Amino acid sequence: MNGHLTEDELDALLCGDDLAGERADHLQECLVCRRRRDGFLAAIEDAAADDPEVPTRDRVRRAALAQWSGRNPVARRWWLAAAAAVLLAVVLPFAVQRAPAPAAVDTDAVLRQVDEVLARDPLAVMASDDVLETVVPAQAATSPGGSAS
Amino acid sequence: MAIAARREWPVKAEDENELVELARRGDRDAAERLLLRHELLVFRLVRNLLPRGEDVESAVQETFVRALRGLPRFAGGATFSSWLAAIAVNLCRDRLRRHRLVPFVPLEKSGDDDDPGPLDVLPAATPDPERQAMARQAVGRVRQELGRLPGRQREVFALRFFAGLDLEGIAAALGVDIGTVKTHLHRGVQRVRRAAEEALP
Ligand SMILES: [Zn+2]
């Protein structure tokens, strides 16, 4: 078969199919068939060729990256971790301050009374338990569990 | 941080997988390299799937953002380029549907669009003005006929000739088998080639 490529052969060739040996040889030698193939490919190439300028491409790419990194899961995870740390730093001191510390209050009162006693009579440190019981009433015996009186 | 240097990033499959993995973990530089490699594919595809006058840049940007956000779902079974192409095609379909757009505004006369095409800026050394005019007409006829192709044919044609994907890549991008791709491509080529030849000597 030595004629020019048929329409189907030409289309198949442009779709990426290989021509059978003899037909491939024909294409190699035939200017008419090559021109038909190349004319189409050149028209396609020209139709595709008005690519955007580099600054346009850079701008679009960077805008997309900015939009992505602003909301990408990894970045968001860091942001959440940072926010949690700040929140803890702010809330924790308040939480600690607001926690009940009844023993501390009682101890202050006791120490104040002891100081008063000692100021009056330094020898009081030698006092026996029953004397102390008199000076420091129920509060001194307060157990960690309660301050009932 | 020279962009020029980045453009020389070697195009090897294993590097691409590495870039995808890094980008998936939030590495902005890896993400940028990935986009750099494939952005022309997306620009060409979007420009040829959306009607003239549509905002190509915003469509490309949205394609990039969808791709980057979707990276955790990229399985790696397909190539990154066909995966990206699939996102671009879907986005164009969405836009066409949303705006009930006709893919292309058919040209009244071949090659008379307002945008200066590549043939309008050919160097003065280009020899034959007659041939040039015919080539310009052929480009116009290609665009016109492309706009008249049924949706799937147009997508296959654009993926092959404008995005440069092979048949497997097109099949992966469109989620169809290779036989279907071949059928659509053959029909598309048949129509576009005949239209172009009408304008050529
Ligand atoms: Zn021939």
Side-chain angles (χ1 to χ4, degrees), chain B residues 71-117:
Chain B
L71 273 176
R73 291 190 301 279
F74 173 58
T79 59
F80 185 74
S81 58
S82 61
W83 186 71
L84 192 59
I87 292 171
V89 168
N90 282 325
L91 185 133
C92 291
R93 284 181 190 167
D94 287 351
R95 290 204 173 186
L96 289 167
R97 229 184 340 251
R98 200 184 317 146
H99 304 303
R100 296 176 182 279
L101 294 170
V102 181
F104 283 94
V105 178
L107 304 173
E108 290 303 316
K109 286 179 283 171
S110 300
D112 63 349
D113 37 317
D114 295 335
D115 301 334

Side-chain angles (χ1 to χ4, degrees), chain A residues 4-17 19 23 27 32-38 40, chain B residues 186 189-190 193-194 197:
Chain A
H4 293 308
L5 297 188
T6 63
E7 302 293 302
D8 276 349
E9 281 175 325
L10 195 55
D11 290 336
L13 177 69
L14 291 167
C15 288
D17 290 347
L19 291 171
R23 306 305 287 149
L27 179 68
V32 174
C33 288
R34 285 215 310 277
R35 192 175 279 171
R36 288 184 78 191
R37 178 197 62 187
D38 297 344
F40 170 79
Chain B
H186 196 274
V189 165
Q190 205 173 26
R193 184 179 60 76
R194 277 160 186 64
E197 282 191 350

Side-chain angles (χ1 to χ4, degrees), chain B residues 139-160:
Chain B
V139 171
R141 293 287 291 123
V142 164
R143 285 181 176 151
Q144 187 180 32
E145 196 58 32
L146 194 55
R148 289 175 179 161
L149 294 181
R152 186 50 70 83
Q153 267 179 44
R154 189 175 56 252
E155 288 169 4
V156 170
F157 191 96
L159 286 165
R160 177 77 192 97

Side-chain angles (χ1 to χ4, degrees), chain B residues 32-96:
Chain B
E32 181 163 21
R33 287 170 199 265
L34 266 180
L35 296 186
L36 254 173
R37 276 189 186 186
H38 299 288
E39 63 190 10
L40 276 184
L41 172 157
V42 179
F43 269 106
R44 288 175 182 172
L45 207 49
V46 165
R47 204 187 52 225
N48 283 287
L49 290 178
L50 289 181
R52 302 232 143 186
E54 260 295 287
D55 190 347
V56 169
E57 287 179 26
S58 88
V60 171
Q61 184 179 328
E62 200 179 330
T63 299
F64 288 165
V65 174
R66 281 190 191 184
L68 293 173
R69 286 186 188 158
L71 273 176
R73 291 190 301 279
F74 173 58
T79 59
F80 185 74
S81 58
S82 61
W83 186 71
L84 192 59
I87 292 171
V89 168
N90 282 325
L91 185 133
C92 291
R93 284 181 190 167
D94 287 351
R95 290 204 173 186
L96 289 167

Side-chain angles (χ1 to χ4, degrees), chain A residues 119-145:
Chain A
R120 270 183 267 132
D121 181 7
L123 290 179
V125 284
M126 309 295 285
S128 58
D129 284 347
D130 52 339
V131 174
L132 260 182
E133 186 59 39
T134 317
V135 177
V136 185
Q139 284 173 328
T142 303
S143 68

Side-chain angles (χ1 to χ4, degrees), chain A:
Chain A
M1 191 171 165
N2 293 319
H4 293 308
L5 297 188
T6 63
E7 302 293 302
D8 276 349
E9 281 175 325
L10 195 55
D11 290 336
L13 177 69
L14 291 167
C15 288
D17 290 347
D18 291 328
L19 291 171
E22 216 178 71
R23 306 305 287 149
D25 292 343
H26 172 84
L27 179 68
Q28 198 81 11
E29 293 158 11
C30 179
L31 191 64
V32 174
C33 288
R34 285 215 310 277
R35 192 175 279 171
R36 288 184 78 191
R37 178 197 62 187
D38 297 344
F40 170 79
L41 292 177
I44 294 296
E45 202 175 312
D46 287 339
D50 47 349
D51 288 328
E53 299 289 327
V54 170
T56 304
R57 287 156 55 183
D58 287 348
R59 179 165 39 78
V60 171
R61 185 189 335 107
R62 280 172 192 159
L65 284 165
Q67 213 178 326
W68 168 67
S69 45
R71 293 178 59 185
N72 98 61
V74 177
R76 197 163 45 211
R77 244 177 276 146
W78 279 109
W79 186 89
L80 279 176
V86 169
L87 197 69
L88 265 179
V90 170
V91 169
L92 208 57
F94 281 109
V96 169
Q97 268 185 3
R98 288 166 67 101
V105 173
D106 291 349
T107 310
D108 285 344
V110 169
L111 289 174
R112 238 180 286 119
Q113 284 182 312
V114 169
D115 283 345
E116 283 166 17
V117 171
L118 286 175
R120 270 183 267 132
D121 181 7
L123 290 179
V125 284
M126 309 295 285
S128 58
D129 284 347
D130 52 339
V131 174
L132 260 182
E133 186 59 39
T134 317
V135 177
V136 185
Q139 284 173 328
T142 303
S143 68
S147 58
S149 66

